[in-house]
Amino acid sequence: MHTLGFEAIGTQWSLSTAEPLAPETRAAVAELVDGYDRTYSRFRSDSTVARMARAAGNWKLPASAAPLLTLFDALQRLTDGAVNPLVGRSLEVLGYDAGYSFQPSGPPLRAAGWKDTVSWTADAGGSVLTTAAPVTFDIGAAGKGQLVDLVSALLAEAGLREYVVDAGSDLRQAGGEPLRVALEHPYDTTRGIGVVTLSDRALCASAVNRRQWGDGLHHVLDARTGAPVDTVAATWVLAADAMTADGLATALFFAEPQALASEFEFDYVRMFSDGRADYSPAMAGVLFT
C-alpha cells in the first residue's frame, strides 16, 4: 500500500491506497479538506461557523451539509437533546476555545435548543442554515466522520478500489485485505481492550481521554447541561459510513443502543467509566477476556 500523510482539521490523517495517488487526486483531496475547514472550523476567524458566532442570519452551506444536518436532527431527538451542535459555546467557556487556551473562564453552559434556534433547507444548489441568534456551531460529533466519507468518495471517483482513510479515531476501509484494528484502552493508551476486523465499513471511536485538558474536562459534553460526561469512558461503532458511525459513537454516551437501533444499523462496543463494557451481538468475541 502507498500512504499519504497530512495534518488537517486538528488531527493527523493518512490515506493508504493500492496505487500511488495521482497529483490531481492529491490536489483534489487538499481542496476538499480545506473547503470543509473553511466552512466548519470554529478555530479560524474566516470560517462560516466563525461568522455564525458573531451574528444571526442565513448561512449558505455546501450540498454535503444536508445529510450532516439530517443526522444531527435525528441524534438530538434520540438523545433527548444531549447531542446538539450548539454545545460549542460551552466548549469555549470550559477552555477548548479557538486559541486552545485550555483555561476555563466560567461554569458549563447549557446549549440553546436546536429546534428553537436553528432551521435549515436544502436544494440542488446546497443548504441554507438559519440561526435565530449568534451560535457557536460545533460539528465535532459527526463532522470528521463525514469528511472521511467525502475523501473516500473522492478516491472512489478517481478509480481507486482499495483504500484506507484514517483520520485518527475515524477509519473507512474499502477493498483488499480486511484491516485489524485495536480498540485503545481509554485509561492506558499502551493497551487495547480488543480487536475489530474492518472490511468495507467504517469504524469510529470516541473517548474521554482524547482532547482532555484538566480534571474532568474533555470534549464530550452533554448539551443539556454543557458539562463533560462521566459515566461512559469510550465508544466504538461500526457502520456502513463514517459520518453515521461517528455520530452514533457520540450518541452512545447518552442513549441506549436499542433507542439508536430503531433508526440506524450499526455494531458497537461501549466501555463505562467503572470498567464494564457492553456490545452488540456481532461484536461478541472482539473484547479480550
Side-chain angles (χ1 to χ4, degrees):
M1 299 290 280
H2 301 265
T3 301
L4 169 67
F6 58 93
E7 186 172 337
I9 63 167
T11 195
Q12 188 64 35
W13 289 62
S14 69
L15 310 183
S16 299
T17 55
E19 305 167 20
L21 291 180
E24 57 268 26
T25 304
R26 290 188 180 210
V29 168
E31 183 179 0
L32 170 63
V33 172
D34 184 62
Y36 202 88
D37 196 56
R38 284 199 312 271
T39 299
Y40 295 115
S41 176
R42 62 180 182 85
F43 301 100
R44 51 189 290 176
S45 61
D46 62 340
S47 71
T48 302
V49 161
R51 295 197 297 275
M52 288 183 193
R54 296 192 286 265
N58 299 315
W59 309 100
K60 183 71 173 179
L61 299 176
S64 60
L68 182 64
L69 294 171
T70 299
L71 177 62
F72 278 128
D73 281 345
L75 294 182
Q76 68 85 31
R77 173 170 44 79
L78 292 170
T79 63
D80 195 27
V83 176
N84 177 348
L86 305 185
V87 76
R89 180 58 186 145
S90 192
L91 282 167
E92 290 180 333
V93 168
L94 293 177
Y96 194 25
D97 50 34
Y100 297 101
S101 72
F102 301 121
Q103 295 295 322
S105 59
L109 298 176
R110 178 178 181 173
W114 175 246
K115 290 296 186 181
D116 297 333
T117 311
V118 170
S119 61
W120 62 277
T121 58
D123 56 32
S127 300
V128 175
L129 184 75
T130 300
T131 55
V135 295
T136 303
F137 200 70
D138 185 276
I139 63 165
K144 182 154 63 97
Q146 184 185 44
L147 187 53
V148 167
D149 288 334
L150 294 173
V151 171
S152 297
L154 193 156
L155 297 180
E157 290 167 6
L160 296 160
R161 294 295 174 260
E162 297 181 21
Y163 56 81
V164 176
V165 179
D166 181 352
S169 59
D170 295 351
L171 287 164
R172 184 161 176 172
Q173 188 271 355
E177 293 294 319
L179 186 67
R180 284 172 55 81
V181 183
L183 308 183
E184 181 184 277
H185 196 300
Y187 299 135
D188 183 352
T189 59
T190 66
R191 298 169 55 201
I193 68 167
V195 175
V196 167
T197 300
L198 183 62
S199 180
D200 292 311
R201 294 181 86 186
L203 172 67
C204 294
S206 186
V208 299
N209 65 315
R210 296 298 183 178
R211 298 186 181 91
Q212 186 179 53
W213 62 92
D215 185 19
L217 296 176
H218 55 77
H219 73 293
V220 186
L221 306 188
D222 185 334
R224 296 167 298 190
T225 64
V229 299
D230 59 7
T231 55
V232 176
T235 61
W236 297 266
V237 172
L238 280 168
D241 64 273
M243 182 184 72
T244 299
D246 196 13
L248 293 176
T250 301
L252 280 171
F253 279 83
F254 311 102
E256 289 305 307
Q258 295 81 1
L260 302 174
S262 66
E263 298 189 25
F264 297 97
E265 293 186 8
F266 65 100
D267 295 304
Y268 73 93
V269 173
R270 177 172 58 172
M271 180 176 172
F272 296 90
S273 54
D274 62 6
R276 294 179 299 114
D278 64 357
Y279 48 85
S280 57
M283 300 292 258
V286 164
L287 299 181
F288 300 140
T289 57

